[in-house]
Amino acid sequence: MGEIGIPRHEFLHVLRWWEIRCIIRGYGRRHRHAWGIARWQTFYLMACSGADLKNAGINRPSDLIKF
């Protein structure tokens, strides 16, 4: 549980199931946000580099990777 920042004992013995579910959901949202930032950066890098995005079918950053 080191990545989440919760001691193993607390995760296994102290927290309730609904608390664990909320923690895991929040952890997933944090990573989804980071991937969204990477997708925007990649899109603008490709646009600035002169890549032919229209012929590749890339009109929006969400066209790069579907979540």
Side-chain angles (χ1 to χ4, degrees):
M1 303 300 95
E3 272 188 47
I4 297 176
I6 299 172
R8 181 183 172 105
H9 173 74
E10 184 176 342
F11 188 82
L12 295 175
H13 302 290
V14 177
L15 295 175
R16 295 181 184 104
W17 282 109
W18 66 269
E19 293 170 321
I20 293 171
R21 192 171 52 230
C22 289
I23 290 169
I24 292 172
R25 236 185 247 148
Y27 185 73
R29 285 185 186 137
R30 181 175 27 173
H31 284 284
R32 185 173 52 222
H33 179 69
W35 276 107
I37 291 171
R39 184 169 55 183
W40 272 99
Q41 290 173 338
T42 303
F43 177 77
Y44 283 115
L45 180 65
M46 290 173 68
C48 292
S49 70
D52 195 4
L53 298 178
K54 295 291 181 191
N55 284 341
I58 301 171
N59 300 318
R60 302 179 308 256
S62 60
D63 294 337
L64 291 172
I65 299 173
K66 303 288 183 201
F67 292 125

